[in-house]
Amino acid sequence: MHYKDVFFADQHFSIFPNGELYWQRKKTLIISDLHFEKGSFFSETRQFIPPFDTIETLRQLTKFIDDHPVESIIFLGDLVHDKLAFQRMPGKAKELFFYIIKKINCTLTVGNHDDASFLRDIGLNLTKNIIIDDICFSHHATSDKKFSVFGHYHPKVRLKINSRGIWTSCFILNKEKLLMPSYGYFTGGLSIKKLEIQKLFKPEYEIYPLTKDRVYRIECKK
Amino acid sequence: MGILVITVKYKDNPIDKWLKKKGWFLYDHQVETFNLIKQGCDVILHAPTGGGKTIGGFMPSINDFINNNYESEVFHTLYISPLKALTADVQRNLLNPINDLQINIKVETRTSDTSAYNKAKQVKKPPNFLMTTPESFALLMARTDVTDLFKNLKFVIIDELHTFFNSKRGHLLSLNLARLRSIKPFQIIGLSATLKNTDLAKKYLSNNKDTKLVSTYSKVSPKITILKSDNRIPWSGHSPRYALSDIYLEVLKFKSSILFVNTRAQAEILFESLWAINDKNKKIAIHHGSLEKDLRKKVEKEIVEGHVECVVATSSLDLGLDWGNIDLVMQVGAPKGVARLIQRIGRANHTINTPSRAILVPTNCFEFVECIAAKECIELNLLEDEQYSDGSLDVLAQHIVGVAISQKFKREDLYKQTKEAWPYRNLNKEDFEKTLSFVENGGYSLQGYNEYSRLKRDGEYFEIKDKSLIAKYRMNVGTIVEAEMLRLRVSNRYLGNIEEWFINGLSAGDTFIFAGKRLMFEKVVGNIAYAKITALDHQKIPSFKGGNLPLSTHLSKSVRKIFSKQLDGVDLPDSLKKWSALQSKFSSFPEENELLVETFRRKIGNQEKYYMALHPFEGRNTHQTIGFLILRRIKKLGVQPFGFVANDYSILFSFSKEIEDIDFLFSQDILVEDLYEWLEETPLIKRLFREIAIISGLIYKNLPGNQKTGKQVTFNTDLIYEVLRKHDPHHILLKITTENAKKDLIDLDRLSNFLFRIKNKIKINKLNRASALAFSLLFEYHKETPDKNELDNFYLEKLEKELLEEVNAL
């Protein structure tokens, strides 16, 4: 599998095309914004989106775990799309999810979509943030510590290929902050050109756009 | 013409009295329609533009209404047209005799432009004659009081009938007509100016009932000429620039004219170029579908009032509206189809016995031949057979929601009723059940959304589960799904809609033309793109996808015939004579059913490139498919292809080394083996799926409360398509997508006819250089390679000169 190495907070991480951030030295996988059952959430508005997105997301995750010696996973928040997600989740998906959290030490840094009262009972470590080696992992950006790894925004970027533009999700980082793309199947995105993201990263930053099987790197200065 | 049996004295008819007073008289076909309706038949009235179709269609209604002394509140006649503007126009035309005769008939329109207040009033106190569109009709049918509303209905009139045979709008209309028939029987009259396959037209209109056809032809054929220009007609491209001053001279000769072009981009370019040389200050306007409604209406009004003397227009002016005194129609660019050209030419004249005048302006050599062919077809009255399509199930899904909102239904009854709609006559039970179950709760094989089901079952009956569905249905009714559009705002006013992907390709400060204005792009906020007027040059032009129809099968046959005679007996300008001589000298013209294949190579820098040109003349869509299929085969031969370009006439491939086994590329199994593989991979199918997802109601484009944010479709339908294919490959939406793709994307029938026609008739010419026919695409090929200056014709002309010199050097 293609990936790109990135040095953040003096640590060596790897960025994978599906949006995984892997910290090899700690055997820790970081993924963000899985939004389980986002598709079925819309059944409330009578839009019957195919209920297979959670399965897709979990299969992708399982494949990564099978290929790498992952010992712990940090879910950077918004694991579920809404508090009824587990009730709607197809049996197959549930099975897969509980298999993973049983096998691997999983922590969820709670996001705005996560309902703590329910998630506490299913065997996840819940916390607002985790600090490892001066890096703070949390759903929202924080300045508590020197380095912050976070999600929430679902960043995407427009690439020009052969004079045609395509949107891809991406990582974006500078010396102190690293913003993760969303890992869920149906999750949309916010352009990195938007003010909310720009004000966090200006003036000098790097973008890692993700395509189906490659990671790219673009430097942005000014 | 049909049999005329006068059993009723139409002379007592009030309309006849009115016409007499005006010094006019009834046409035979109007009388015949009147009599047939009196006898209780359904009628199709087929008459050319200016033939009094509107009066002919409404005369039986008016007569019946007066004779029966109906109460003032009887909803008596329903008129449905494909265009909103047409409903208002017909209302106006109808009010003339009604007011003059002081008959007490209330005529109103009901379209998406009608205010909510007026709509509510209309339902409480319906007008006697109601003019509407298929979408507004569908909404009326989705009312709970539908039985009461239509209880007195006697006539339904469908205008521009031919536009409904091959479209999802036509499917929607037919479903609602079938349902209306089961609620209250009525007589139906179809009106059309262009009809060829009248048997099918009858069936579409009223399924198996006995429908009579009243048909009349214009006594005079239109005067069509091809514009003469002293300048050389280009070998390629779509620019009328070579003839611009000649076009302008013609425009000056006539008091009022319409210049039809094929795409919105062409309209913008022609409009701007004409103004650049408009030293006589002729009042020239522009009209196309992306312009803001009030801008369009203003232009339309100014044409009628004579303030605008010339209008550059796209198909937005093709249909119906009565423009009064247009003296001249020019078709700039390829006519593409005979019926379409007739429709356009018909704009020039609205009386039946004076010939319409039209001038055709080909923009390249191929188009010149196409213009000749179209002219011949019109003179011999050889029209295309209309296409008829089987009812699409996404439309049925939408319809089922409408039915359920209106009334409880039994599935068996609905199935029978659906089959009464002619496009759905072959609908099988299984597909119907799958569609119903999709409407109910998504219809997924393993797991449905039972809890949030849209329908609830009550014994044998189905009905809607809660009222929230009504607003969603109302906001999303219809079968026309447009690309994601942004509204364009320039200094406090809206100019129109512009495709999102085009705006995404612009950076602040880029300039472009829209509505004839030079604009500088500023920013996008929500769903509004902001720009300001600029004097700067070097514009981009929004290219508007989908504006380009392919060459019709019929016309392509005529074009092939002319080519097969080596353009013999055709009056060619000098530049075309040279073009044709070059083709004969260095290659050959294809025989009528032959596929001409030419191979040659060119040296570009130090690199040798190999080319293969095919000349099937089967239209752009078919060529695209053939192109992709052959590309796959080239790869199978181990040759690296660089790609291909296709237009309506030819396909040109280029690759890295010579292909030995050309026959292999065309072997018959190409359809079976490669087509479906290709179909699954092409991104085009995802665009199709998006349309189906929206029409069927899988996702709603508009949701109550969402409109202000401008966020429309919240889901990426490409992802839905992929996940569905993986997890539920037999889902009904995928089946609809494949069916639609076979018809629209690849035109499977045309493709297999083509392969059949060329079997054992492939002629391969190995050439030293590009032939005259192949040159045209060679230009386009090079045009597509540099990504900027896409419309910079200067570049093309330079290339053309280079290539010409190459040939002349022989």
Side-chain angles (χ1 to χ4, degrees):
Chain A
M1 190 60 144
H2 171 85
Y3 64 90
K4 266 212 161 59
D5 289 327
V6 47
F7 290 90
F8 177 77
D10 288 332
Q11 296 292 326
H12 173 199
F13 292 92
S14 307
I15 288 177
F16 286 81
N18 285 331
E20 295 100 352
L21 183 69
Y22 189 49
W23 194 354
Q24 229 162 56
R25 195 168 65 84
K26 306 264 183 196
K27 293 197 169 69
T28 299
L29 169 67
I30 304 121
I31 45 180
S32 182
D33 297 275
L34 279 73
H35 284 263
F36 283 161
E37 292 302 302
K38 181 180 174 186
S40 61
F41 173 73
F42 289 84
S43 60
E44 215 176 298
T45 62
R46 308 293 187 272
Q47 299 182 88
F48 304 131
I49 310 298
F52 312 117
D53 51 327
T54 309
I55 290 261
E56 268 312 292
T57 307
L58 285 168
R59 284 200 183 150
Q60 196 174 289
L61 176 58
T62 313
K63 180 152 194 318
F64 191 90
I65 296 168
D66 290 347
D67 294 349
H68 301 85
V70 180
E71 280 173 6
S72 54
I73 300 176
I74 303 174
F75 295 108
L76 269 192
D78 288 0
L79 179 70
V80 292
H81 190 72
D82 64 297
K83 65 177 173 189
L84 298 176
F86 272 96
Q87 270 162 270
R88 293 193 310 270
M89 200 182 290
K92 244 199 299 187
K94 260 190 225 167
E95 247 171 62
L96 210 50
F97 179 71
F98 288 116
Y99 171 74
I100 292 168
I101 61 174
K102 217 167 169 183
K103 197 169 94 173
I104 294 171
N105 176 31
C106 290
T107 308
L108 170 64
T109 66
V110 179
N112 47 308
H113 280 254
D114 300 316
D115 184 338
S117 61
F118 177 74
L119 291 168
R120 188 166 294 130
D121 303 332
I122 62 172
L124 280 169
N125 308 316
L126 293 193
T127 167
K128 190 167 168 261
N129 54 44
I130 307 179
I131 294 155
I132 310 172
D133 292 0
D134 229 17
I135 305 174
C136 178
F137 295 89
S138 55
H139 184 61
H140 295 278
T142 158
S143 42
D144 292 359
K145 286 281 157 193
K146 199 175 167 205
F147 302 107
S148 169
V149 174
F150 59 101
H152 183 63
Y153 291 105
H154 307 193
K156 61 173 184 178
V157 64
R158 199 174 164 81
L159 296 184
K160 268 199 177 164
I161 295 174
N162 297 334
S163 84
R164 234 152 241 245
I166 55 159
W167 286 105
T168 70
S169 68
C170 63
F171 284 81
I172 170 168
L173 61 101
N174 62 15
K175 288 207 168 69
E176 292 88 30
K177 297 190 184 71
L178 190 157
L179 170 55
M180 304 265 309
S182 62
Y183 196 67
Y185 186 77
F186 274 141
T187 45
L190 183 69
S191 167
I192 58 147
K193 289 197 171 160
K194 292 280 177 195
L195 195 63
E196 295 95 311
I197 296 181
Q198 281 292 316
K199 70 181 179 198
L200 292 169
F201 289 93
K202 267 192 315 193
E204 230 171 85
Y205 55 88
E206 289 172 2
I207 308 166
Y208 290 82
L210 310 173
T211 62
K212 207 172 174 191
D213 40 28
R214 285 197 84 79
V215 180
Y216 296 84
R217 178 169 176 274
I218 301 169
E219 261 179 78
C220 300
K221 273 182 195 172
K222 201 179 71 176
Chain B
M1 216 180 283
I3 312 147
L4 180 61
V5 193
I6 302 185
T7 50
V8 197
K9 277 196 203 154
Y10 71 89
K11 297 216 177 297
D12 298 335
N13 186 308
I15 293 277
D16 189 53
K17 281 187 213 149
W18 175 72
L19 288 167
K20 282 250 171 58
K21 225 163 45 187
K22 294 255 175 190
W24 298 336
F25 57 92
L26 282 175
Y27 292 119
D28 288 349
H29 58 265
Q30 291 170 325
V31 176
E32 196 183 344
T33 305
F34 182 77
N35 288 326
L36 287 168
I37 288 288
K38 267 270 179 190
Q39 291 164 28
C41 303
D42 288 347
V43 178
I44 291 178
L45 173 53
H46 171 215
T49 322
K53 278 192 300 295
T54 310
I55 290 292
F58 276 96
M59 203 165 67
S61 265
I62 295 176
N63 193 62
D64 182 78
F65 191 83
I66 296 171
N67 285 352
N68 288 306
N69 279 320
Y70 281 117
E71 283 166 42
S72 63
E73 275 169 37
V74 163
F75 177 16
H76 179 270
T77 298
L78 177 70
Y79 164 93
I80 299 168
S81 109
L83 285 180
K84 271 189 276 185
L86 200 52
T87 61
D89 198 53
V90 168
Q91 180 195 28
R92 211 174 34 239
N93 289 343
L94 207 56
L95 284 177
N96 284 334
I98 288 176
N99 290 340
D100 280 1
L101 291 165
Q102 295 180 324
I103 312 171
N104 201 11
I105 298 179
K106 207 162 77 174
V107 184
E108 286 179 9
T109 62
R110 184 186 182 94
T111 66
S112 55
D113 291 345
T114 312
S115 70
Y117 172 76
N118 278 336
K119 278 185 181 163
K121 215 169 75 178
Q122 264 172 359
V123 174
K124 248 186 227 156
K125 216 178 149 206
N128 310 115
F129 292 7
L130 184 70
M131 321 274 164
T132 190
T133 58
E135 290 77 19
S136 292
F137 174 46
L139 288 175
L140 275 179
M141 292 300 294
R143 300 181 58 88
T144 49
D145 56 1
V146 63
T147 313
D148 190 51
L149 189 66
F150 287 104
K151 65 174 184 269
N152 294 312
L153 187 79
K154 289 198 74 170
F155 296 102
V156 174
I157 300 167
I158 311 287
D159 207 349
E160 306 283 1
L161 181 63
H162 60 278
T163 61
F164 293 114
F165 301 148
N166 188 28
S167 68
K168 290 190 178 180
R169 273 186 114 191
H171 301 161
L172 182 69
L173 178 64
S174 74
L175 287 168
N176 278 305
L177 286 175
R179 178 155 175 255
L180 183 56
R181 227 172 247 125
S182 77
I183 291 170
K184 169 73 176 73
F186 52 84
Q187 271 179 281
I188 190 162
I189 304 167
L191 309 175
S192 178
T194 49
L195 269 187
K196 172 81 184 296
N197 200 337
T198 49
D199 281 344
L200 291 179
K202 286 177 185 173
K203 284 180 179 149
Y204 174 87
L205 193 65
S206 43
N207 207 350
N208 294 318
K209 264 183 74 184
D210 182 24
T211 306
K212 299 278 192 257
L213 176 76
V214 178
S215 191
T216 180
Y217 301 103
S218 183
K219 310 289 177 290
V220 286
S221 47
K223 280 192 188 148
I224 301 172
T225 51
I226 296 175
L227 185 70
K228 285 213 162 43
S229 171
D230 292 337
N231 297 328
R232 204 171 62 81
I233 299 180
W235 289 12
S236 79
H238 297 282
S239 165
R241 210 164 63 171
Y242 80 96
L244 196 62
S245 55
D246 305 289
I247 295 175
Y248 186 61
L249 284 179
E250 292 297 331
V251 167
L252 287 181
K253 280 189 214 157
F254 293 87
K255 224 177 119 230
S256 62
S257 49
I258 301 183
L259 272 47
F260 278 115
V261 293
N262 291 332
T263 65
R264 294 173 210 178
Q266 283 167 345
E268 294 281 2
I269 297 169
L270 181 59
F271 176 72
E272 161 142 282
S273 331
L274 279 174
W275 269 102
I277 58 164
N278 189 6
D279 43 20
K280 298 274 186 304
N281 259 318
K282 195 90 176 164
K283 285 167 193 129
I284 305 172
I286 185 170
H287 191 286
H288 62 67
S290 286
L291 293 178
E292 197 70 13
K293 194 174 74 195
D294 54 340
L295 289 180
R296 265 181 288 151
K297 285 208 164 152
K298 197 175 144 219
V299 173
E300 285 162 20
K301 198 168 151 244
E302 285 178 344
I303 303 171
V304 175
E305 289 169 354
H307 298 313
V308 159
E309 298 160 296
C310 168
V311 59
V312 180
T314 61
S315 53
S316 59
L317 284 189
D318 271 8
L319 283 180
L321 304 215
D322 194 339
W323 296 116
N325 301 312
I326 297 291
D327 306 314
L328 170 73
V329 163
M330 268 202 212
Q331 165 68 35
V332 180
K336 307 275 190 180
V338 182
R340 178 166 181 261
L341 186 59
I342 289 179
Q343 185 100 36
R344 288 188 156 186
I345 290 173
R347 301 291 99 212
N349 211 307
H350 272 212
T351 58
I352 197 166
N353 290 326
T354 41
S356 318
R357 285 199 54 125
I359 299 177
L360 310 181
V361 188
T363 60
N364 60 46
C365 292
F366 279 98
E367 286 185 358
F368 186 92
V369 178
E370 192 181 322
C371 286
I372 301 253
K375 186 173 177 260
E376 275 179 17
C377 287
I378 291 182
E379 279 157 5
L380 298 169
N381 202 22
L382 298 172
L383 280 167
E384 283 100 1
D385 271 338
E386 296 91 11
Q387 306 269 315
Y388 290 79
S389 54
D390 280 342
S392 195
L393 296 179
D394 48 345
V395 181
L396 178 61
Q398 187 185 94
H399 177 69
I400 291 175
V401 176
V403 176
I405 287 171
S406 165
Q407 289 169 325
K408 300 180 168 190
F409 65 87
K410 281 190 201 168
R411 75 165 80 195
E412 205 46 48
D413 294 351
L414 186 61
Y415 176 57
K416 269 191 211 139
Q417 191 191 86
T418 303
K419 287 181 62 140
E420 291 292 308
W422 188 75
Y424 293 88
R425 69 205 174 281
N426 297 325
L427 176 69
N428 66 49
K429 195 73 195 272
E430 192 195 336
D431 284 348
F432 174 79
E433 290 294 340
K434 277 189 165 179
T435 309
L436 182 61
S437 130
F438 164 77
V439 171
E440 208 179 351
N441 54 24
Y444 299 105
S445 57
L446 292 174
Q447 176 161 9
Y449 286 109
N450 298 326
E451 187 186 346
Y452 292 105
S453 178
R454 293 179 193 165
L455 305 181
K456 98 179 159 203
R457 298 179 191 217
D458 180 7
E460 296 179 282
Y461 288 94
F462 285 75
E463 62 186 315
I464 53 163
K465 209 164 169 186
D466 63 75
K467 294 234 154 86
S468 73
L469 201 57
I470 299 174
K472 286 173 199 130
Y473 173 77
R474 293 192 163 267
M475 291 175 78
N476 291 282
V477 76
T479 57
I480 301 165
V481 177
E482 282 170 345
E484 294 290 328
M485 298 288 235
L486 299 173
R487 282 187 93 191
L488 179 65
R489 191 176 169 109
V490 176
S491 56
N492 292 334
R493 77 190 262 239
Y494 290 106
L495 282 190
N497 296 312
I498 201 157
E499 263 124 344
E500 193 178 0
W501 67 265
F502 175 76
I503 289 289
N504 278 332
L506 296 179
S507 314
D510 280 356
T511 57
F512 62 102
I513 309 186
F514 190 88
K517 294 180 168 50
R518 295 174 179 199
L519 302 170
M520 184 188 280
F521 173 65
E522 293 178 321
K523 61 181 173 183
V524 174
V525 180
N527 61 343
I528 299 167
Y530 290 84
K532 64 180 179 194
I533 304 242
T534 175
L536 288 176
D537 229 327
H538 293 297
Q539 306 91 345
K540 299 187 176 184
I541 312 242
S543 57
F544 307 104
K545 281 177 186 158
N548 232 338
L549 284 171
L551 178 67
S552 80
T553 317
H554 182 69
L555 196 51
S556 100
K557 213 167 154 187
S558 308
V559 169
R560 286 206 312 268
K561 207 167 189 173
I562 293 177
F563 274 116
S564 72
K565 292 185 204 148
Q566 278 93 46
L567 305 177
D568 224 21
V570 180
D571 181 19
L572 294 177
D574 287 346
S575 56
L576 256 104
K577 277 186 194 146
K578 192 171 174 193
W579 186 66
S580 142
L582 278 173
Q583 181 65 25
S584 307
K585 187 170 173 195
F586 295 110
S587 179
S588 60
F589 282 102
E591 297 289 319
E592 212 178 324
N593 282 321
E594 181 180 81
L595 173 66
L596 175 63
V597 179
E598 299 169 328
T599 60
F600 57 95
R601 66 179 100 168
R602 292 190 74 229
K603 212 168 184 162
I604 297 170
N606 284 330
Q607 205 192 0
E608 282 265 272
K609 268 195 176 180
Y610 292 82
Y611 294 87
M612 178 173 73
L614 318 183
H615 306 289
F617 303 96
E618 286 289 353
R620 186 185 304 262
N621 286 3
T622 315
H623 291 173
Q624 289 279 354
T625 312
I626 298 173
F628 280 115
L629 295 181
I630 295 214
L631 212 56
R632 293 176 67 101
R633 292 246 154 151
I634 293 177
K635 280 184 201 153
K636 279 187 188 168
L637 287 173
V639 175
Q640 180 57 42
F642 295 129
F644 75 92
V645 282
N647 60 17
D648 271 334
Y649 317 101
S650 313
I651 316 167
L652 179 73
F653 299 87
S654 77
F655 27 82
S656 56
K657 62 179 186 191
E658 196 156 5
I659 292 179
E660 304 285 333
D661 188 7
I662 287 181
D663 286 328
F664 166 76
L665 299 177
F666 301 98
S667 61
Q668 287 294 310
D669 55 358
I670 193 164
L671 263 185
V672 196
E673 221 183 275
D674 300 81
L675 185 66
Y676 289 93
E677 273 175 55
W678 169 71
L679 200 54
E680 299 213 328
E681 292 167 7
T682 169
L684 297 172
I685 203 156
K686 290 182 182 164
R687 211 181 302 156
L688 207 58
F689 180 79
R690 176 176 175 271
E691 178 192 298
I692 289 160
I694 291 172
I695 292 175
S696 66
L698 175 73
I699 51 173
Y700 292 120
K701 216 172 162 190
N702 307 305
L703 275 173
N706 253 11
Q707 282 187 317
K708 287 211 178 91
T709 61
K711 218 172 151 69
Q712 292 184 315
V713 178
T714 42
F715 271 96
N716 182 337
T717 50
D718 291 3
L719 292 178
I720 297 185
Y721 175 74
E722 274 164 19
V723 82
L724 201 53
R725 256 186 55 194
K726 211 159 159 187
H727 293 270
D728 203 347
H730 299 295
H731 192 266
I732 188 74
L733 290 192
L734 293 180
K735 181 172 176 172
I736 302 171
T737 310
T738 313
E739 294 294 316
N740 277 213
K742 276 190 211 156
K743 191 171 76 66
D744 297 335
L745 220 53
I746 53 182
D747 200 343
L748 197 58
D749 291 344
R750 194 166 178 179
L751 191 60
S752 40
N753 285 340
F754 162 72
L755 289 173
F756 183 72
R757 137 170 111 73
I758 61 153
K759 200 173 175 184
N760 303 326
K761 284 182 205 128
I762 298 172
K763 179 168 183 186
I764 299 166
N765 289 349
K766 293 196 172 170
L767 312 176
N768 292 323
R769 16 181 80 66
S771 72
L773 290 185
F775 263 30
S776 128
L777 270 180
L778 202 52
F779 299 137
E780 283 189 37
Y781 191 84
H782 286 274
K783 187 179 76 174
E784 293 202 351
T785 332
D787 63 343
K788 61 185 175 99
N789 297 344
E790 243 184 272
L791 291 146
D792 193 343
N793 285 300
F794 173 73
Y795 176 78
L796 279 183
E797 278 162 23
K798 215 177 111 198
L799 184 69
E800 187 167 331
K801 254 191 209 130
E802 261 174 50
L803 290 166
L804 274 171
E805 274 161 19
E806 202 176 301
V807 172
N808 286 338
L810 291 174

